[in-house]
Amino acid sequence: MVGNVSRAAIISDRRITGLSADVIAELVAELGPLWHERHQAGLASRQRKRAVGAGAKHRLVFVDRLLATLVHLRHGATYDVLACWFGVDRSTITRAVGEVRPLLAERGCTVSPDVRLRTLAEVVDHLGSGGRTGIVDGTEIRVRRPAAGRKDRDKFISGKSRQNAVKTMVLTDGDGRVLFCSPTKPGSCADITHARQSGLVKLLVDGPSVEILADAGYQGLGAQTGGRVVTPPHRKFKKNAPDWYEEMYERQRKAHSSRRIRVEHGIAHLKNWRALTRHLGRREHRVRGVACGGVRGWAGWGAGWGKRGREVVVKPDAWFYFWGWLCPGRPVVRGVGHPSWSGRGGGCGGGFGGAPGTCDAYAAGDFGRGW
């Protein structure tokens, strides 16, 4: 595992993980207990020859597992590189990323301290309850070419980019803050088909009145949803259009594009995460682990949105409250957490400013040897 100085350097520099120290602190505070609970449940779910807790302890504590996952998603660092960096075996990093990514994906997108959206239905209800406008668009992520002879090998080829890709549907609010990232589909799936299969049409028809802006790839959904999906105006004249029509058409098209462009800003921010630009792992991966875990709301992603907007997330895909040790001079939060996190010696001593004999909620360098 990395030392306390190295860990503090990783957390303090936003360029490494893509998230601020406060966001990482909130992620640890929320996901740490969930990871510990699942880990203990896995140990107790099978027959054992010795008691739970016997044997060697984890060298990679949960804080380091989370940091390794974020670095992998942000920069596409290989597991071998991360294993050398954190001083563990490659299989440990593989297992750590596989455990943390689902936790990030399940978090949903935080749009305010008391509102977290996890499903498409919750997003539609949120937009309808506040009279907000949503923007939908699809984005592609390049993937490895399937092996020769594989069934349906061509279904990953995108008709747009002519490359092997998977596609996800991104839904943002009017400011471009990401609210939802759908599970991925093969690159050959059309945007409008993806929207129908995800249940968006049914939710708009049966749910509250919501205005959803979309590009020309979704033309046809407006009629199916009673005008709730607004697409660019259809061009009625193919040739020799009157001057007055050309002027009107361009004015309407630009008015629509100027509102819809915010979703492109949100998607562009998602692409800051290397895992969402070129994915070298399994093609069946999900975007929600990034979009909901790291990028949150992933995205307050955008200028002038502040910290909460930038949490993703994911993201997606995120994300947080209390590490007094993160910054020198900040008070240490004591008395928070679970006795099993206290490590050896009855407390979370050591680490980034924790006092011996106290449980400084994840603030310890040796931060629960059982983790």
Side-chain angles (χ1 to χ4, degrees):
M1 58 179 288
V2 297
N4 293 341
V5 176
S6 298
R7 187 185 297 115
I10 295 172
I11 295 173
S12 62
D13 194 337
R14 189 167 191 158
R15 295 174 297 178
I16 299 178
T17 62
L19 303 176
S20 66
D22 290 338
V23 171
I24 296 176
E26 188 173 341
L27 278 176
V28 174
E30 180 174 341
L31 300 184
L34 296 178
W35 178 87
H36 181 70
E37 180 181 348
R38 293 186 182 184
H39 177 68
Q40 293 299 318
L43 294 177
S45 63
R46 58 180 181 267
Q47 294 182 349
R48 305 183 59 86
K49 293 185 178 180
R50 53 185 179 181
V52 175
K57 307 303 179 184
H58 288 302
R59 293 183 60 195
L60 196 66
V61 297
F62 179 74
V63 178
D64 295 339
R65 291 170 183 264
L66 176 63
L67 294 177
T69 302
L70 293 176
V71 172
H72 169 68
L73 295 175
R74 184 71 177 184
H75 299 287
T78 64
Y79 293 163
D80 288 322
V81 171
L82 292 174
C84 294
W85 191 3
F86 285 86
V88 295
D89 190 78
R90 181 184 186 278
S91 62
T92 302
I93 297 295
T94 303
R95 183 169 55 251
V97 174
E99 292 171 348
V100 173
R101 281 184 59 169
L103 296 176
L104 295 174
E106 294 168 7
R107 294 200 71 251
C109 293
T110 300
V111 295
S112 65
D114 56 343
V115 178
R116 180 173 295 172
L117 308 176
R118 294 182 174 86
T119 65
L120 185 57
E122 292 177 353
V123 172
V124 173
D125 291 340
H126 168 71
L127 294 174
S129 62
R132 303 175 181 88
T133 297
I135 314 175
V136 65
D137 198 7
T139 185
E140 296 179 351
I141 304 169
R142 289 184 60 190
V143 295
R144 295 178 294 115
R145 184 181 184 184
R150 170 174 170 164
K151 182 181 178 181
D152 298 329
R153 185 188 187 198
D154 295 338
K155 71 178 182 179
F156 287 98
I157 299 179
S158 167
K160 179 181 179 180
S161 63
R162 304 298 181 183
Q163 296 174 335
N164 290 276
V166 293
K167 180 178 294 184
T168 185
M169 183 182 70
V170 178
L171 184 62
T172 72
D173 59 14
D175 294 327
R177 181 168 50 185
V178 176
L179 303 178
F180 179 78
C181 291
S182 71
T184 57
K185 294 285 186 180
S188 61
C189 181
D191 289 347
I192 191 170
T193 302
H194 196 172
R196 288 167 177 161
Q197 293 178 351
S198 66
L200 178 62
V201 175
K202 187 176 186 301
L203 291 172
L204 293 177
V205 172
D206 300 336
S209 178
V210 180
E211 180 188 46
I212 302 294
L213 302 179
D215 60 16
Y218 296 89
Q219 283 184 344
L221 291 187
Q224 295 182 358
T225 59
R228 297 184 180 182
V229 176
V230 182
T231 57
H234 182 71
R235 191 178 185 88
K236 297 181 179 180
F237 291 89
K238 300 297 182 181
K239 296 181 180 180
N240 302 322
D243 293 340
W244 64 267
Y245 178 80
E246 286 288 353
E247 181 182 352
M248 180 187 68
Y249 174 80
E250 286 298 318
R251 183 172 62 253
Q252 293 176 349
R253 185 185 64 80
K254 290 182 179 180
H256 180 274
S257 298
S258 63
R259 299 179 62 197
R260 197 197 64 83
I261 193 63
R262 300 298 181 86
V263 70
E264 304 293 352
H265 298 163
I267 292 175
H269 192 79
L270 280 171
K271 299 295 184 175
N272 287 333
W273 296 76
R274 185 62 60 85
L276 298 184
T277 56
R278 175 67 187 272
H279 184 70
L280 301 177
R282 292 176 59 89
R283 283 171 292 275
E284 295 78 5
H285 85 295
R286 293 171 180 259
V287 179
R288 293 173 62 82
V290 178
C292 297
V295 189
R296 212 167 201 78
W298 277 55
W301 316 35
W305 284 343
K307 182 191 74 175
R308 175 63 61 176
R310 287 188 173 274
E311 303 167 353
V312 160
V313 167
V314 83
K315 271 155 109 186
D317 358 181
W319 338 15
F320 337 91
Y321 302 78
F322 64 72
W323 279 358
W325 51 265
L326 286 174
C327 300
R330 293 178 58 182
V332 175
V333 179
R334 307 185 187 280
V336 185
H338 189 277
S340 64
W341 306 339
S342 58
R344 297 173 298 178
C348 294
F352 303 106
T358 64
C359 183
D360 295 333
Y362 311 108
D366 109 337
F367 171 59
R369 298 291 293 184
W371 287 35

